[in-house]
Amino acid sequence: MSGGFSRSAWRLPVLALFALFALSGCSLLWGPQQAPIVDATVMPVEPASAPVAASEPEPVETEAARPEQPKKPPKPIVKPHKVEPPPPVVAPPPPPPTPAPLIVLRTIERSEARTLLDSEVQKPDGKVVGRAVDLIADAGGKPREMVVNLQGFLGVGDRKVNFPWSAFRFTPSAKTAPIMLNAAAVPANAAAKSAGVQLPLIDATVERANGAKVGRVIDVLIDSNAQPQAVVLDVNGMVSTERRTIAANWSALHFVTKNKELHPQIDLSDAQINATPPYASDKPVRAVSPAPPPAPAAATAPPAATASAAAGSNARAAR
């Protein structure tokens, strides 16, 4: 062959290389072995781990497959409560006072009292001797005499005679002759008349303390004990323009001496007179008196003191 090495030429080195490896292997088996020299810079290569078998996929629960759980209510948020003192107790304002009445009325039944004027006067034997025409009272309001119009024959010879009040007896329930004159009664003498200032009451003008006129006395009501109970007053032209009469309690009258004359007075204002029911001869008498003045109001604690006292009592109750 031309060019290159011959086949026998490259075989010799190969055989020599195999012989060398064979001799080195025999030394490892039969003689001490020398530790191989390891390069410190070369890191050992870990053998590849065995492949891990793939795990089966876990089942995934869907919303449709999962049963619906009841929702728990949210827990309430409890905030610490601050204890505050109770508010002061404010007492309600007192109700307005009831307005004081203008007048006081007293009912007098017709069987309990009889009008004096023009009532028949008889003697114990039943004979009518005349009619009562007036009552004379003293400064204390006590009846002293009665004036009787003694009748004559056919109206001729009529005369007015004053008899002591004690000489009469009264029967208000009697239909006729309600006044009985004692058979032994004698006319009042001049000495009795001069005992003090006296006042014929019929047609007397009743005034107020300031001198204003209230009305004119047109009659007097007497009970079975011979005590005056009321006077009938004509207030026409005094308070209103209409014809009107009222009854006033005898106890509401008082008598005052002026210029050696006796004057009856009563403390009735125009409003009180207008509030009085009218007098009627065929109905029970409604006698008027002025209403008493209202009693002074009791002293009350101020609202602040009342509230503080109430708050103190609440605090003591809480403890």
Side-chain angles (χ1 to χ4, degrees):
M1 291 182 61
S2 61
F5 295 99
S6 62
R7 182 173 300 180
S8 57
W10 61 269
R11 287 182 180 176
L12 288 177
V14 172
L15 292 176
L17 184 58
F18 276 109
L20 181 59
F21 278 102
L23 291 176
S24 62
C26 293
S27 63
L28 291 173
L29 295 173
W30 302 105
Q33 300 179 359
Q34 187 178 356
I37 300 173
V38 180
D39 191 353
T41 60
V42 180
M43 298 294 295
V45 179
E46 295 181 358
S49 58
V52 180
S55 59
E56 296 181 359
E58 296 181 358
V60 179
E61 295 181 359
T62 62
E63 294 292 334
R66 184 182 305 165
E68 184 178 358
Q69 299 293 332
K71 295 183 179 180
K72 296 181 179 180
K75 293 182 178 180
I77 300 174
V78 180
K79 296 182 178 181
H81 179 68
K82 183 180 179 181
V83 179
E84 297 181 357
V89 179
V90 179
T98 304
L102 283 176
I103 57 176
V104 176
L105 294 175
R106 180 172 68 100
T107 302
I108 304 174
E109 298 294 338
R110 287 293 176 177
S111 59
E112 299 174 356
R114 183 70 179 262
T115 56
L116 174 72
L117 185 61
D118 208 28
S119 292
E120 290 183 341
V121 179
Q122 66 178 0
K123 287 187 176 182
D125 57 3
K127 182 181 178 181
V128 176
V129 295
R131 294 178 180 272
V133 294
D134 209 343
L135 181 154
I136 298 176
D138 61 12
K142 185 176 180 180
R144 289 295 182 181
E145 299 175 4
M146 181 189 295
V147 181
V148 180
N149 186 23
L150 297 178
Q151 63 187 12
F153 180 74
L154 296 178
V156 178
D158 291 356
R159 57 193 177 97
K160 295 180 181 179
V161 179
N162 292 19
F163 289 93
W165 188 259
S166 59
F168 298 94
R169 188 178 64 188
F170 295 84
T171 309
S173 59
K175 293 183 179 180
T176 59
I179 303 175
M180 182 77 66
L181 176 62
N182 190 346
V186 294
N189 53 33
K193 292 182 180 180
S194 63
V197 181
Q198 297 180 348
L199 171 70
L201 205 59
I202 302 299
D203 287 334
T205 300
V206 180
E207 303 174 344
R208 300 191 183 104
N210 59 4
K213 295 181 179 181
V214 175
R216 180 175 60 89
V217 178
I218 60 176
D219 213 335
V220 183
L221 279 77
I222 311 296
D223 65 5
S224 59
N225 296 319
Q227 296 299 318
Q229 295 298 311
V231 293
V232 182
L233 299 177
D234 180 7
V235 294
N236 178 39
M238 303 295 181
V239 179
S240 61
T241 57
E242 62 179 2
R243 184 76 180 180
R244 190 162 176 263
T245 56
I246 63 172
N249 280 304
W250 183 266
S251 59
L253 288 173
H254 47 277
F255 300 86
V256 178
T257 302
K258 294 181 180 179
N259 300 325
K260 298 181 180 181
E261 293 182 355
L262 206 57
H263 298 269
Q265 292 184 354
I266 188 169
D267 298 325
L268 283 176
S269 65
D270 292 353
Q272 291 171 324
I273 294 174
N274 289 329
T276 304
Y279 171 83
S281 59
D282 57 345
K283 295 181 180 179
V285 180
R286 301 278 285 168
V288 65
S289 293
T300 57
T306 305
S308 60
S313 61
N314 290 341
R316 288 193 297 271
R319 290 198 295 268

